[in-house]
Structures are given as C-alpha cells and as structure tokens.
C-alpha cells in the first residue's frame, strides 16, 4: 500500500499511554514543540484531532544534539506540561521527531528464492530481515526501514508480494539510521521527564508527510526542512521516502553572519533578519537604512546605520551555500534523477523573502514554500512552515506508513534486534504461531 493510503493505526495506537491519545514531541535547536492528539471516529473514518499544543524556546541543544541534558529536559518538561494542561490529558510516552545523530540513508537490494513457489508472509519477512542485517552498522540506530519496491521474478514495482507466484523474491529497502549516541542522549533527556519514547522519527521524513500532496510524493519531490542549526532533506518518489540527509548549517548561521557583518548582538541580528532580510535585490536597497545596536556595552553608544543592500549581501552568499550543498549532496547520492521537478521548502528558516526563488534557481526545480496540511484542532499560529515536522508526526497517524520497524529505536550494538511490525491487532495464539513459524 502506498504512503498516502487509508488510515492505519498500526504502530501508533495508544501512543500517549491511553487508547486514542497520542503525543508528538519535536526537540530542535531553536524550539521544542509538543502536540497532544486524540483519534476520533467520523463519517469518513478515523482522524486525529489536536487537543493540546505547546512550544518553548529550546535550551541545551545545538545542531540537533544535546549539549546540556538538564537544560534540555527542563524545556521538554515545560512544553509537555503546558500541552497536557490544555488537553486536560496526561501522557506517559511521546513520538520524538528530531535530526539528532544526523539521520542518513542506506539503500540495499536483497533477493532470495521462494521455496514454496508462492510468496508467503515468512518469505517476505525473511527477505526484509536479510536487508536489515545488511544495513546494520555499529554505532548507528535504525529509525525507519521502508520497502521502496518489490520484485517477483520479472514483475517489478510490486507493492505487496504476498500470495504471488514466483521463483525469486527481491526488495529494494531504504533504511534511515542515525548516530547512536546523540539519539541516546536525547532519549535520556526525555526520560528525565518521566516519559517514554515510543518511536523516533527523522525530521525531514515527518516534514515531507506534512507538506507534500499525494501526487507530488508519487511523481517525485524534494523537501528541504530549514532549521536553526541544520538543514535536512528528504526525497520522495513513488509515494515513499527514498533518501534523507542532514547538513550542519541552517538559519542560525545566517544570523551569526549578520551579527558579524553589522557588528551587532546576535539577538538584534535575528530581529533585523526577520524584519528586513531578503535574498532579492530591490531598487531602493542602497537608500533604505537599517539601524543596528552596537556590540558595545556602553549605554550611551548610539545606533549604527547600514544600507539594506549590505544586509542582503551578507544573507545571500550563505543561502546560496546551503542550496549548493544540498544540490551537491543529492548529486553524490544519485538522487537527482528520481527527485522530480518539485521542490518544497519548509522549516522556521525557510520564510526569508526570495528564498524559494533562489532555491529553485540553484536546484533547477519548481520551488514553493510548504505549509502543513490542515489538522483538526490546530490553530493558524501553529500551522506554518516552522511546525511542518511536528505536524508531520500527527499526519502520520492518518496515513498507511510502509515503515516495517516499530517501537523505539534499537541500537545495532545491542543484542536484541528491533522488531518487525506485525499486522495491527494480532495477539495471543496467532502471534505465538507466527513467531514460531518465522523463527524455526
């Protein structure tokens, strides 16, 4: 089934510690966001409704990694507490969306004979397990494993091979993993708040679920999620993510460039960027003057004045560098041919005027600013590009996600492998017999 299929609660049901309640937590360098969601039945099926929201300025985080676990835990606790008060509902676990550990992609193709001449559930899981084993790398944590396509003999593009007749079964498997220690540190910060992590979701993957239309994901699209300290990329094709990457540069680097170039404090540079910054030239840029407070602590020091042309001349090279890095990384990964003509920018740092036009020119694609799909109960203030990754975790509840991994990440160095997702609702004797059949 494609990524944008019918509602499936597999792997996500009761994630908030109570049936029908789910909590999403995004921890970034600039902000920490918590959504509490309740799934409800409607005439058109089950859908998620946001019943509690909160966001706080982050602390103890840098480039997606924890640098002060106590500070990070304090902000997480505040964000979750505020969302719980709004929802009038406590949660005991969260789905965590992050760029911690710089998530990246590994793609493998695994082929095996079909002993019974008809593909069974056991054949499918055997091939998937072989693919996961080939992608296992010490020091990494597997976050997602997505079958991009199946092949039975010469039949390509198979969505579900079970029940098909053939002699060989093959799968193209896309595994998203991250460096283990940064993921562990972030999970430890969440654990300090007496919360369990039900799953860890790569931020660019979640952002793509939030901002892409169904046809865009099917025909091929690239999502660039621009955060404070990182810029993450997800490529979708045939309805599923086929590549993710994270670059260690983001909007905060632009702010620091402005602070150095205008000799002004960082907080003032952020405000100047938001109010006056652009990557487009304007005829009056040389005449329009911008006031910037000096770095000096002298209370009598006056404001410095700079032409807006100087501000834009500082911003543009860094923005060009970010998109050139994205282009080069996509070319090196062999993704340019499958990433389609659609480019979607999202994230808090993506809203600078002219940024979509610059990105489209450098990556030679049709670019637009991505806003999350509307979610029931979520106000306009929390429905902008800066909240795409957070809303993507919620949107994931209403999609048939093809991820074969479920539960919290299991690290490659551990002896217990992460489990392969089972059909929703399978318990008791049926689950025991399935385990026995697949293990012996």
């Amino acid at each position: 089934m494609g990524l944008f299929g019918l509602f499936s609660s597999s792997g996500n049901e009761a994630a908030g510690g109570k049936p029908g309640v789910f909590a999403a937590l995004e921890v970034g360098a600039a902000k920490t966001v918590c959504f509490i969601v309740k799934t409800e039945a409607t005439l058109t099926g089950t859908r998620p409704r946001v019943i509690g929201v909160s966001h706080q300025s982050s602390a103890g985080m840098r480039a997606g990694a924890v640098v002060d676990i106590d500070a990070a835990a304090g902000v997480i606790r505040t964000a979750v507490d505020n969302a719980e008060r709004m929802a009038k509902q406590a949660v005991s676990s969260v789905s965590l969306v992050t760029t911690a550990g710089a998530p990246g992609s590994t793609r493998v193709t695994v082929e095996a004979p079909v002993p019974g001449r008809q593909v069974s559930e056991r054949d499918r899981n055997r091939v998937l397990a072989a693919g996961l084993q080939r992608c296992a790398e010490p020091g990494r944590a597997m976050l997602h494993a997505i079958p991009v396509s199946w092949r039975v003999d010469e039949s390509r593009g198979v969505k579900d091979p079970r029940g098909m007749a053939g002699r060989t079964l093959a799968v193209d498997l896309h595994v998203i993993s991250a460096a283990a220690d940064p993921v562990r540190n972030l999970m430890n910060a969440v654990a300090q708040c007496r919360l369990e992590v039900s799953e860890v979701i790569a931020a660019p993957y979640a952002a793509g679920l939030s901002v892409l239309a169904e046809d865009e994901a099917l025909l091929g699209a690239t999502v660039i999620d621009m955060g404070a300290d990182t810029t993450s990329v997800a490529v979708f094709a045939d309805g599923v993510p086929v590549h993710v990457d994270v670059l260690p540069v983001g909007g905060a680097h632009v702010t620091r460039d402005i602070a150095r170039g205008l000799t002004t404090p960082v907080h003032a540079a952020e405000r100047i960027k938001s109010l006056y910054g652009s990557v487009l030239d304007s005829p009056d840029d040389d005449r329009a003057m911008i006031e910037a407070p000096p770095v000096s602590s002298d209370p009598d020091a006056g404001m410095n004045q700079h032409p807006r042309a100087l501000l834009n001349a500082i911003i543009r090279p860094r923005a060009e560098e970010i998109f050139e890095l994205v282009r080069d990384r996509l070319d090196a990964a062999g993704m340019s041919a499958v990433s389609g003509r659609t480019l979607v920018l999202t994230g808090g740092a993506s809203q600078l005027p002219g940024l979509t036009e610059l990105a489209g020119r450098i990556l030679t694609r049709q670019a637009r600013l991505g806003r999350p799909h509307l979610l029931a109960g979520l106000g306009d203030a929390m429905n902008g590009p800066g909240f795409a990754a957070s809303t993507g975790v919620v949107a994931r509840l209403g999609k048939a996600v093809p991820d074969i991994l479920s539960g919290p990440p299991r690290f490659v160095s551990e002896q217990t492998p992460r489990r392969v997702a089972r059909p929703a609702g399978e318990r008791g004797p049926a689950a025991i017999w399935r385990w026995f059949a697949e293990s012996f």
Side-chain angles (χ1 to χ4, degrees):
M1 183 179 290
L3 180 61
F4 294 87
L6 300 175
F7 180 85
S8 172
S9 60
S10 176
N12 293 320
E13 191 174 20
K18 188 174 182 179
V21 177
F22 171 84
L25 177 68
E26 178 187 3
V27 183
K31 67 182 182 301
T32 297
V33 183
C34 181
F35 289 171
I36 298 179
V37 180
K38 184 175 183 180
T39 57
E40 57 185 13
T42 68
L43 293 176
T44 57
T46 307
R47 70 170 183 175
R49 172 177 288 277
V50 179
I51 59 175
V53 297
S54 175
H55 69 96
Q56 304 289 322
S57 296
S58 290
M61 298 291 298
R62 181 175 297 169
V66 177
V67 295
D68 185 334
I69 194 166
D70 291 333
V75 173
I76 291 169
R77 182 70 267 173
T78 300
V80 175
D81 283 347
N82 290 344
E84 287 177 331
R85 278 195 290 270
M86 180 177 177
K88 298 181 175 61
Q89 172 70 61
V91 296
S92 60
S93 64
V94 296
S95 285
L96 183 61
V97 58
T98 182
T99 57
S105 292
T106 303
R107 293 177 298 275
V108 297
T109 299
V110 181
E111 183 174 330
V114 180
R117 299 290 189 257
Q118 183 173 337
V119 180
S120 65
E121 179 80 8
R122 182 178 181 179
D123 295 326
R124 171 185 173 274
N125 288 344
R126 179 165 48 87
V127 172
L128 291 174
L132 291 176
Q133 183 65 34
R134 286 179 55 180
C135 293
E137 182 180 347
R140 304 285 292 181
M142 291 187 187
L143 307 182
H144 310 283
I146 300 163
V148 175
S149 67
W150 293 88
R151 186 174 71 253
V152 179
D153 291 345
E154 299 304 318
S155 299
R156 298 179 178 272
V158 175
K159 293 299 182 182
D160 188 346
R162 288 171 291 188
M164 294 186 65
R167 296 176 179 273
T168 59
L169 174 66
V171 64
D172 297 322
L173 188 64
H174 174 210
V175 173
I176 302 173
S177 65
D181 288 343
V183 175
R184 280 195 183 99
N185 291 335
L186 186 54
M187 292 177 66
N188 289 340
V190 175
Q192 282 196 13
C193 305
R194 300 184 183 276
L195 293 167
E196 294 182 0
V197 175
S198 60
E199 59 182 343
V200 176
I201 303 169
Y205 177 19
L209 294 176
S210 176
V211 301
L212 289 181
E214 180 177 352
D215 284 344
E216 288 177 325
L218 287 171
L219 297 176
T222 301
V223 177
I224 301 179
D225 186 29
M226 304 185 71
D229 284 349
T230 60
T231 296
S232 56
V233 183
V235 176
F236 284 73
D238 293 327
V240 296
V242 296
H243 180 73
V244 301
D245 197 2
V246 176
L247 285 68
V249 61
H253 294 79
V254 178
T255 301
R256 290 192 285 270
D257 288 347
I258 296 171
R260 284 189 289 265
L262 302 185
T263 319
T264 192
V266 173
H267 67 85
E270 180 64 32
R271 180 177 179 275
I272 291 170
K273 181 182 73 172
S274 300
L275 292 177
Y276 309 110
S278 175
V279 296
L280 297 177
D281 292 323
S282 174
D284 62 345
D285 281 348
D286 289 326
R287 297 187 299 273
M289 304 303 290
I290 297 170
E291 290 188 339
V295 177
S296 171
S297 58
D298 182 0
D300 297 326
M303 289 284 195
N304 296 323
Q305 290 195 339
H306 307 278
R308 192 167 63 194
L310 174 60
L311 172 65
N312 295 343
I314 295 171
I315 293 174
R316 192 180 301 109
R318 179 69 79 171
E320 290 175 344
E321 177 195 23
I322 292 173
F323 296 128
E324 287 168 357
L325 285 171
V326 171
R327 179 195 61 197
D328 294 344
R329 296 279 277 266
L330 289 176
D331 289 344
M335 286 291 111
S336 297
V338 301
S339 58
R341 295 286 302 163
T342 299
L343 176 65
V344 181
L345 299 190
T346 192
S350 68
Q351 302 173 72
L352 203 62
L355 211 55
T356 53
E357 291 85 350
L358 179 65
R361 177 174 60 81
I362 292 177
L363 280 85
T364 62
R365 288 167 172 81
Q366 298 174 352
R368 67 174 178 86
L369 185 64
R371 296 186 178 276
H373 303 312
L374 291 177
L375 292 174
L378 189 63
D380 292 340
M382 302 284 284
N383 207 40
F387 297 93
S390 303
T391 55
V393 182
V394 181
R396 193 167 178 258
L397 286 171
K399 303 180 187 295
V401 178
D403 194 344
I404 65 170
L405 297 182
S406 64
R410 296 291 186 268
F411 303 95
V412 174
S413 59
E414 296 178 358
Q415 295 298 317
T416 304
R418 188 175 179 182
R419 67 180 184 275
V420 176
R422 300 296 182 222
E426 183 180 68
R427 295 179 176 85
I432 295 173
W433 280 111
R434 179 177 297 282
W435 171 83
F436 184 88
E438 294 172 3
S439 301
F440 299 94

